[in-house]
Amino acid sequence: MKREKVKKISIRTAKECAYIAVFVALVIAAQLVLAALPGIEVVTVLFISYSFVFGACRGGIAAVAFAFLRQLVFPFSETVLILYLVYFPLLGGLFGVLGHWVKKPLFSLWWLLPIAVACTAAFNLFDGWFTPLWYGMQGEAARAYFISSLPFMLPQLACTAVSMLFLFVPLQRAFRLIKKGL
């Protein structure tokens, strides 16, 4: 009896690792494909949808794996690594908890969308504060970095709003179908 339980747990753990690995590969591929288009990104809606369905813990694990593995594909940046290690697990945690409570995502989109946009704004503001701090910028240099990042935030906010509006419901439905295989 015990041996069967251990075998079942190890199979489930292996499946979960495989699901997370495939998801992280999907996110990195999507980011790589869209890297040439400034302000266009689907990483946020992918993480929101995945965490919404699979939960805060799996979303956080996927976020940490993504933050590290992304550094192998794109040029290494310690500030990006730290930003991603802070932001994406928090985003996954928030939407993982919301996914536990929300039973009808389509009818909740009207308030989930502004939360996603606010999270994107928070990420950009965090970057505007953290990066100058990390590189020791002070005064005018720090202010210039922050102000120069604001025009990049507007397309990202719009992209998050549009991608949530059109992709969130189909993605979370697809992830629900995939989750049935666990």
Side-chain angles (χ1 to χ4, degrees), residues 3 10 29 36 39 64 74 80 104 109 112 120 132 148 171-172 178:
R3 190 175 192 109
S10 63
V64 171
F74 293 91
V80 171
K104 296 185 177 185
L109 193 57
L112 290 170
T120 300
S148 69
L171 281 171
Q172 66 84 29
I178 293 168

Side-chain angles (χ1 to χ4, degrees), residues 76-136:
F76 179 79
S77 169
E78 57 274 333
T79 56
V80 171
L81 176 62
I82 294 167
L83 287 167
Y84 281 27
L85 282 173
V86 171
Y87 175 72
F88 282 109
L90 289 173
L91 182 73
L94 173 62
F95 279 91
V97 169
L98 291 174
H100 184 70
W101 291 336
V102 174
K103 300 304 176 208
K104 296 185 177 185
L106 179 61
F107 298 110
S108 302
L109 193 57
W110 69 270
W111 61 270
L112 290 170
L113 190 146
I115 292 172
V117 171
C119 289
T120 300
F123 173 78
N124 283 279
L125 295 172
F126 180 52
D127 174 52
W129 168 80
F130 177 73
T131 300
L133 179 69
W134 181 265
Y135 289 116

Side-chain angles (χ1 to χ4, degrees), residues 6-180:
V6 170
K7 186 176 180 181
K8 189 175 183 178
I9 289 172
S10 63
I11 289 172
R12 183 176 174 156
T13 303
K15 265 188 175 180
E16 289 195 36
C17 289
Y19 278 40
I20 290 171
V22 169
F23 173 72
V24 170
L26 169 72
V27 174
I28 291 172
Q31 192 175 38
L32 187 61
V33 167
L34 296 173
L37 304 170
I40 305 298
E41 60 94 19
V42 293
V43 172
T44 300
V45 73
L46 285 169
F47 265 105
I48 287 171
S49 304
Y50 181 83
S51 299
F52 195 83
V53 172
F54 282 93
C57 184
R58 290 181 184 124
I61 291 168
V64 171
F66 167 69
F68 282 112
L69 292 173
R70 179 199 182 280
Q71 299 295 316
L72 299 174
V73 176
F74 293 91
F76 179 79
S77 169
E78 57 274 333
T79 56
V80 171
L81 176 62
I82 294 167
L83 287 167
Y84 281 27
L85 282 173
V86 171
Y87 175 72
F88 282 109
L90 289 173
L91 182 73
L94 173 62
F95 279 91
V97 169
L98 291 174
H100 184 70
W101 291 336
V102 174
K103 300 304 176 208
K104 296 185 177 185
L106 179 61
F107 298 110
S108 302
L109 193 57
W110 69 270
W111 61 270
L112 290 170
L113 190 146
I115 292 172
V117 171
C119 289
T120 300
F123 173 78
N124 283 279
L125 295 172
F126 180 52
D127 174 52
W129 168 80
F130 177 73
T131 300
L133 179 69
W134 181 265
Y135 289 116
M137 297 179 201
Q138 295 176 349
E140 198 58 40
R143 201 170 4 268
Y145 180 85
F146 183 81
I147 291 170
S148 69
S149 70
L150 292 178
F152 294 98
M153 180 168 49
L154 296 175
Q156 285 183 324
L157 295 176
C159 184
T160 297
V162 170
S163 65
M164 279 292 291
L165 189 61
F166 292 106
L167 297 176
F168 173 70
V169 173
L171 281 171
Q172 66 84 29
R173 284 182 182 162
F175 286 135
R176 284 196 197 288
L177 287 174
I178 293 168
K179 186 178 179 184
K180 288 181 181 178

